[in-house]
Amino acid sequence: MTTDTTTDLRTGEPQDTPQHTRDLRIGVIGLGLRATVAREAHHPGEGSAVVAAADISPGMFDRAREWFGDDVHTYEGHRAMLDAEDLDAVFVITPDHTHEDLAVELLEAGVAVFVEKPLAITTEGCDRVLEAARTSGARLYVGHNMRHMPVVRVMRDLIKRGEIGEVKAVWCRHFVGHGGDFYFKDWHADRRNTTGLLLQKGAHDLDVIHWLAGAYTERVSALGGLTVYGDIADRSGQAPGATMPDWYDPENNWPPKSLTGLNPVVDVEDLSMMVMRLEGGIHASYQQCHYTPDYWRNYTVIGTEGRLENFGDHGESAEVRVWKRRSGYRADADLVVPMPSPGEGGHGGSDPLLVAEFLRFVREGGATDTSPVAAREAVAAGVAATESLRADGQPVTVARVAPELADWFSNGQS
């Protein structure tokens, strides 16, 4: 193996990059909306190539050929793909309730796995996947791309260098604009597939809260309900094989109660609020609304010497502001950190960084910014909060991961 000099995408500094003797052979299960992340792994002759794709809907195979070339092998089932192909890694980008069984089967087959978040829709399901990774020795990676988003990394770097002192509280408001189009017209609206949107959509934010705080959730209480979309009678659903871009119309589907074509089953909440006690006495809150006119996340982190807050969550207009002096209201923060120009690729350039980390992990192992245990803890907090919400706010203690599992993953899955 030889090396070449390239540019580190995060620092802009030169780095020696291994030039590998062959491409990793990559498979994809699920060709729906989020499958675009697998496109970031298709670089034939440069280290990795998507050679096979499986989907239960053959109508999706044209998408695979468009993305990965006419030579990609397509299968109507993942088992046929596994039997026919010699794969180094597989992307699991399927509805949430299928993640657990698919990940376990792939890991037990000795294949490295990228699982789109959430890792599973139950805490027990997450633990089953973690145990399969430990038992098999196959590498497990979870697609929490927000750990690679510039605004999150800037906030974490400011915290780590002590700009606001010791973290004591984290607040997150998630304005899910267009939530009716995004989550109430397909499988997301049915709690059998997601447990609930407090888990499904909140898994990203709960993971970020934990990462910024440096602690996991111990106890939660939550309230919420199906407050708008439950009143819409049109449950005609969408055509088989359709994905959100096929029906999304940001100009006309407003206000939210004007929507049509909701999923036949709608039993997840469109408004959720949870409060959390984290390890070490840190407190946090998370609020999620699926019918706001704007779509972004706002984090506030309060420490013993100041607080920080993001304005915008990606793009050149986003910035993080830090206040460290006493005052009344003032928009002029003591420190303002603008975001770098967004890179190419989805989610402000975070998707290519996420996939690059996964591919490096498949080939070389070692530490990663994402964490299967952290992904499990985000699900566990979301599950507990959903249980509390549906019990009218009754506090729920979060089930902890087994120490031996946590230790094994903290050692780099080795």
Side-chain angles (χ1 to χ4, degrees), residues 100-399:
E100 174 189 343
D101 286 345
L102 286 170
V104 168
E105 185 172 348
L106 291 163
L107 292 165
E108 290 178 344
V111 179
V113 182
F114 176 111
V115 184
E116 175 59 358
K117 71 84 199 167
L119 177 57
I121 65 170
T122 66
T123 306
E124 296 79 8
C126 290
D127 289 340
R128 181 171 169 244
V129 177
L130 296 182
E131 183 58 42
R134 183 176 69 157
T135 302
S136 69
R139 288 174 174 156
L140 172 64
Y141 189 93
V142 186
H144 275 284
N145 62 337
M146 285 190 66
R147 290 200 176 203
H148 291 276
M149 286 179 66
V151 70
V152 173
R153 300 186 75 87
V154 165
M155 289 189 292
R156 188 166 186 268
D157 289 345
L158 290 168
I159 291 166
K160 288 181 68 176
R161 76 186 196 202
E163 290 289 347
I164 61 170
E166 183 182 354
V167 172
K168 291 296 184 182
V170 185
W171 304 339
C172 177
R173 299 179 299 163
H174 192 178
F175 310 108
V176 192
H178 320 308
D181 277 307
F182 286 12
Y183 299 102
F184 287 84
K185 293 189 174 184
D186 64 4
W187 58 266
H188 294 86
D190 187 336
R191 66 176 62 175
R192 292 173 298 182
N193 300 327
T194 62
T195 294
L197 295 178
L198 183 55
L199 163 60
Q200 201 285 332
K201 188 62 174 167
H204 272 317
D205 296 291
L206 295 172
D207 180 59
V208 170
I209 288 171
H210 291 163
W211 207 38
L212 297 179
Y216 294 132
T217 300
E218 294 181 329
R219 195 159 172 81
V220 301
S221 180
L223 293 170
L226 183 57
T227 59
V228 168
Y229 298 116
D231 297 335
I232 297 175
D234 187 337
R235 304 288 178 85
S236 55
Q238 305 299 317
T243 59
M244 188 269 292
D246 297 323
W247 64 75
Y248 176 48
D249 185 351
E251 300 300 326
N252 296 317
N253 289 346
W254 187 262
K257 285 191 175 183
S258 69
L259 264 65
T260 58
L262 268 61
N263 195 60
V265 177
V266 177
D267 62 1
V268 294
E269 295 79 13
D270 53 23
L271 179 68
S272 305
M273 306 177 186
M274 62 184 285
V275 292
M276 299 161 269
R277 186 186 70 221
L278 279 58
E279 298 164 314
I282 299 170
H283 291 78
S285 67
Y286 173 58
Q287 301 160 54
Q288 179 190 98
C289 181
H290 283 264
Y291 45 87
T292 59
D294 48 343
Y295 195 173
W296 66 295
R297 296 169 167 94
N298 171 252
Y299 294 97
T300 295
V301 186
I302 303 172
T304 54
E305 299 175 21
R307 78 173 181 93
L308 61 78
E309 184 174 356
N310 69 293
F311 291 82
D313 54 12
H314 64 273
E316 294 182 3
S317 62
E319 61 185 26
V320 176
R321 302 179 193 172
V322 182
W323 288 267
K324 302 180 70 172
R325 294 182 292 112
R326 281 182 167 180
S327 70
Y329 169 77
R330 57 188 173 94
D332 57 323
D334 300 303
L335 174 63
V336 177
V337 182
M339 295 303 100
S341 298
E344 295 182 1
H347 294 88
S350 63
D351 283 354
L353 296 174
L354 179 81
V355 173
E357 181 176 72
F358 169 62
L359 296 175
R360 189 269 301 163
F361 179 60
V362 171
R363 193 180 289 277
E364 303 172 11
T368 58
D369 283 337
T370 65
S371 161
V373 170
R376 181 267 187 203
E377 295 292 350
V379 169
V383 166
T386 303
E387 179 184 343
S388 172
L389 183 155
R390 293 172 183 166
D392 199 28
Q394 179 178 332
V396 176
T397 298
V398 179

Side-chain angles (χ1 to χ4, degrees), residues 22-26 40-50 359 363:
R22 74 167 181 89
D23 288 343
L24 292 173
R25 292 175 55 82
I26 308 296
E40 305 294 349
H42 187 58
H43 300 287
E46 299 178 17
S48 60
V50 175
L359 296 175
R363 193 180 289 277

